[in-house]
Structures are given as C-alpha cells and as structure tokens.
C-alpha cells in the first residue's frame, strides 16, 4: 500500500506519528510524509521521505499571535451577539484555515499523482480530509493524547446536515472551491494512544487504540545515564510548544531553584533556548540539552514537566510518577485528564511557589500510591496494540 502521512508542521507532532510511520515501512508499505518545508529537515533526518507543501505560511507564528489575545471572560462571551460570536470563531480558526488553504493545492497535486491508498493525518491538518474526500481516499486521524479537539470541524462526528453553520467561514469556502461537501465524518477511524483507563474526550466509536511508543528525537546516550544514581534522580523538562506559545519564561528557573536544595540528583532536560533562561545554576544541577526523554527517564524517580502529551506519555510508558505544571495550549486539559489516574499531581503555574513545588516532587519520589499508579499505567500501556498491530487493522480497513 501507499500511505501518506500529514503531520502538523511541528517537530513534536511528527514524533507522535513516527512509530506508526516506521511500522508501515517495516511491514513493506510505501510511505510519504507531507508537510510544510519547515519540517523537511526533521523528516529527512528521521530517514523518511518528505513531500513539501504549503510553503510561505508561518502557522506557529500566527498561533503565537492568537494566543497572546486569548483571554475573554465568560461574561464577555455571553454578552456577544451571534454575529460577533461568528466573527470571533473565524478569528480563532484563522491559523488552521490558513494552513489548510496554503497546503491544499500542493497536497492535492501530489495525491493526484501518487494516489495513496490511505491518508493518516494530524487532526489539525484540515487539508488532508479535503484531499481525501475529493479523491476518494480513506482517511484516518492520528491523535496525540486526549481528543480535545473532537468538537471542532472534520473530527469524525456523525453527519447532521448543519455543519456549515458551525464551521469557520474560510474553511467552508475552501471546501466549496474544491467541490467537496461540508461535513465532519470523512475520518473513518481515530488512532488513539491515550490509555483507556484515563479520561478521554469525544465519541468512542471508530477508535483504534495504539500503544504509545516514545520517540523524542535522536540523541547520544551519555555514560552517566547508565550509572545507578546515588540519590533519587528527578528530571525537569519543558516542552518546545510551551516556550513558543508564550509560557512564563520565569517558571522553569523557579522550578529548578525550588528543587535544588532537596538533596536529589536534579537533571534539567531542555533545548538550548530554554537553557539560556536558567542563568547560573548550582554545581550539582545537571543540564542535558537535547537528550531524548526516553533515554533519561528509565533512571528517574520522578519527572516535572509542563503537561505536553509527548512528555506525559513518555513518562507514563516508563512508569515514572509526574508533577505537571501546565500553562499554555492544551496542556491544562491534558494534565487534568492524566492526573485522574493517580500517577501525577497537577500544580497551577501562577500559584506554585517553591514550597509547593518541592513538596509535590518529594511526594512523587516517595509516595507508594503514586508509584503503584504509575506502574499500573505502564503495564496498561504495554498491553495496548503495538503500532505493527495498528498497521494490520488499517490495512484491513482499506482492503476489505
């Protein structure tokens, strides 16, 4: 089979798709990865064939601008007229619609020539269902955690005939230009890595559960990671999206300062840009730049992170108790859904002082109930279908 993957133009979103992409390849199928040129070097660096579409639009840049004005009170929203609400909806969807509009011509042209048998898409890439519907190609969503955008357009909801009223104007106009019907039910299945015991959003029909297999990028295994730590090793990591979307630059240094006196082995796993924010650190704080989490976490007693799906699920896969301090994007919803399983504590970033942070991490390192919950979740993930089994399920969907 020929399988086309369409990740969001974000390194971490491609990482979420990587194990399934490799599973298709090792099963003998031909794959392509189509996204904006910003993702090409990452794609090629992973040994995958890249298709460049949608050049010239800065999706993440527009997302940053949107988030900077993303604070409207419920009372303000209630007082808005229907026309004002539609205008606000269109404004909020501008980056998603512009990404779809920019990607659609190139994605359509490539798919017409290559004729994939299946398209597997990030749910935010709305050019994929457009192309799939126009060319009659089966479409599958590949989500990265809780299905928090299920209520948005094109997420597999049953057809009702009123979709045009709910869609942003620009998205309806895009589908109209290509002669594709405005409806949400183009995705046939949703590949879902979120453990079934945790709270999930959206409609359960059509879900294909997939074991989360961590891929956090390539890296070199340092010798010290393999040495048994003399003290409890705690990883503090901050996701790239948190920084890009305007998280408090002072939060990471505050967390590190709170944990430095605890008598633990503190490892701060960050990108170079976040390392610059840390300033001077105590001598016994280790900074690991660009060290993939799946190489570090097996030796850790606990981890502190911002609640991004990749960090949370990597820790869960390895049975590590977590302290989550979410700030931006979908991280608060991910954190609360994940913490319901008992293996994590969620702190509010604005109110998390040094004592609160230190107490939460001490509990994560020592509390038997949290440790048991983390191991139980690890075992549940291990029992979920491997990506190779998901390949078999999706092949049967297409060829039946």
């Amino acid at each position: 089979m020929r399988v086309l993957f369409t990740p969001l133009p974000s390194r971490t979103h491609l990482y979420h798709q990587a194990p399934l992409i490799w599973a298709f390849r090792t099963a003998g199928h031909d794959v392509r990865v189509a996204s904006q040129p910003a993702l090409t070097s990452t794609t090629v660096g992973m040994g995958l064939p890249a298709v460049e579409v949608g050049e010239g639009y800065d999706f993440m840049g527009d997302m940053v601008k949107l988030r900077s004005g993303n604070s409207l009170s419920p009372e303000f929203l209630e007082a808005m007229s229907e026309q004002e609400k539609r205008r606000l909806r269109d404004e909020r969807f501008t980056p998603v619609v512009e990404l779809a509009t920019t990607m659609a011509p190139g994605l359509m042209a490539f798919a017409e020539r290559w004729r994939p048998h299946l398209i597997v898409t990030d749910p935010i890439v709305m050019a994929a269902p457009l192309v799939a519907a126009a060319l009659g190609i089966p479409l599958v969503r590949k989500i990265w955690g809780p299905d928090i955008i299920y209520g948005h357009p094109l997420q597999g909801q049953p057809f009702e005939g009123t979709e045009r009223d709910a869609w942003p104007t620009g998205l309806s106009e895009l589908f109209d230009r290509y002669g594709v019907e405005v409806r949400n039910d183009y995705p046939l299945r949703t590949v879902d890595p979120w453990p079934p015991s945790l709270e999930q959003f959206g409609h359960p029909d059509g879900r294909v559960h997939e074991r989360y297999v961590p891929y956090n990028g390539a890296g070199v295994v340092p010798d010290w990671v393999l040495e048994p730590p003399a003290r409890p090793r705690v990883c503090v990591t901050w996701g790239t999206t948190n920084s890009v979307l305007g998280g408090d630059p002072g939060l990471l240094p505050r967390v590190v300062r709170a944990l430095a006196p605890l008598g633990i082995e503190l490892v701060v796993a960050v990108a170079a840009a976040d390392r610059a924010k840390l300033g001077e650190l105590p001598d016994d704080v280790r900074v690991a730049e660009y060290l993939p989490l799946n190489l570090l976490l097996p030796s850790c007693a606990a981890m502190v992170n911002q609640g991004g799906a990749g960090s949370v699920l990597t820790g869960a896969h390895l049975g590590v108790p977590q302290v989550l301090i979410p700030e931006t994007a979908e991280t608060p919803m991910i954190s609360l859904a994940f913490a319901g399983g008992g293996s994590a504590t969620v702190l509010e970033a604005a109110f998390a002082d040094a004592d609160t942070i230190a107490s939460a991490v001490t509990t994560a390192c020592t509390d038997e109930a949290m440790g048991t919950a983390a191991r139980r979740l690890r075992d549940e993930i291990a029992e979920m279908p491997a990506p190779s089994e998901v390949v078999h399920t999706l092949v049967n969907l297409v060829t039946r």
Side-chain angles (χ1 to χ4, degrees):
M1 275 191 1
R2 293 183 297 277
V3 185
L4 176 62
F5 284 81
T6 55
L8 197 69
S10 158
R11 178 167 48 89
T12 54
H13 281 247
L14 176 59
Y15 289 173
H16 280 289
Q17 293 191 359
L20 188 58
I21 297 173
W22 285 322
F24 267 104
R25 294 197 73 181
T26 55
H29 302 287
D30 200 7
V31 302
R32 299 290 185 272
V33 179
S35 191
Q36 291 189 289
L39 202 59
T40 298
S41 61
T42 302
T43 304
V44 173
M46 292 165 59
L48 300 173
V51 177
E52 294 185 335
V53 297
E55 185 176 4
Y57 175 61
D58 183 5
F59 172 76
M60 290 305 295
D62 265 8
M63 287 296 295
V64 171
K65 294 175 187 175
L66 180 65
R67 297 287 179 184
S68 66
N70 199 16
S71 56
L72 300 175
S73 69
E75 295 78 15
F76 180 84
L77 292 172
E78 183 66 28
M80 294 176 72
S81 68
E82 288 304 312
Q83 182 177 0
E84 289 171 328
K85 289 179 181 178
R86 285 193 294 271
R87 179 194 57 77
L88 180 62
R89 176 201 62 196
D90 288 354
E91 179 183 299
R92 289 289 188 254
F93 270 92
T94 293
V96 173
V97 173
E98 285 299 315
L99 180 65
T101 303
T102 306
M103 289 182 65
L107 192 63
M108 186 74 76
F110 173 76
E112 286 175 334
R113 293 192 300 269
W114 196 56
R115 287 290 169 175
H117 298 99
L118 174 68
I119 297 177
V120 180
T121 188
D122 188 295
I124 298 178
V125 179
M126 295 184 179
L130 171 69
V131 170
L135 301 180
I137 302 168
L139 176 74
V140 168
R141 302 163 73 229
K142 173 71 173 75
I143 61 175
W144 57 86
D147 202 353
I148 56 178
I149 65 169
Y150 177 78
H152 294 336
L154 296 164
Q155 305 306 316
Q157 306 95 318
F159 179 67
E160 296 180 351
T162 59
E163 284 78 0
R164 188 176 293 273
D165 296 333
W167 281 28
T169 304
L171 189 62
S172 298
E173 292 174 347
L174 176 64
F175 273 59
D176 289 343
R177 286 200 296 275
Y178 283 88
V180 176
E181 186 177 4
V182 171
R183 55 191 300 156
N184 292 320
D185 60 351
Y186 292 118
L188 302 177
R189 297 289 186 273
T190 294
V191 178
D192 182 0
W194 199 240
S197 67
L198 301 179
E199 180 185 5
Q200 181 56 286
F201 304 94
H203 202 280
D205 290 349
R207 293 199 183 275
V208 177
H209 291 291
E210 178 193 34
R211 181 189 313 159
Y212 180 78
V213 177
Y215 179 73
N216 310 119
V220 177
V221 183
D223 289 341
W224 58 265
V225 166
L226 304 177
E227 299 171 359
R231 298 167 291 165
R233 180 175 288 162
V234 174
C235 167
V236 175
T237 186
W238 237 238
T240 54
T241 302
N242 195 74
S243 300
V244 171
L245 293 182
D248 176 9
L251 180 57
L252 177 58
R254 183 173 11 132
V255 170
V256 173
R257 288 195 300 270
L259 300 183
L262 288 186
I264 59 176
E265 181 185 328
L266 184 57
V267 180
V268 185
V270 292
D274 287 321
R275 170 64 182 93
K277 300 173 186 175
L278 292 173
E280 292 292 326
L281 295 173
D283 292 339
D284 59 350
V285 174
R286 188 190 301 271
V287 177
E289 292 186 15
Y290 296 115
L291 177 62
L293 287 180
N294 58 298
L295 302 182
L296 169 61
L297 288 181
S299 66
C300 290
M303 70 179 298
V304 185
N305 66 85
Q306 86 297 348
S311 300
V312 163
L313 284 173
T314 299
H317 174 90
L318 296 166
V320 180
Q322 304 184 42
V323 175
L324 310 177
I325 313 179
E327 282 191 284
T328 61
E330 72 272 13
T331 56
M333 295 181 70
I334 293 173
S335 298
L336 292 174
F338 183 79
S343 65
T345 298
V346 180
L347 304 180
E348 289 190 56
F351 304 105
D353 59 20
D355 290 342
T356 302
I357 296 168
S359 175
V361 170
T362 299
T363 299
C365 288
T366 59
D367 185 73
E368 184 57 35
M370 284 189 73
T372 299
R375 292 187 292 273
R376 183 171 59 245
L377 189 59
R378 175 198 62 197
D379 294 344
E380 178 186 356
I381 292 172
E383 293 296 321
M384 293 172 70
S388 57
E389 297 173 76
V390 174
V391 168
H392 181 72
T393 298
L394 298 183
V395 169
N396 285 342
L397 174 70
V398 174
T399 59
R400 67 184 180 188

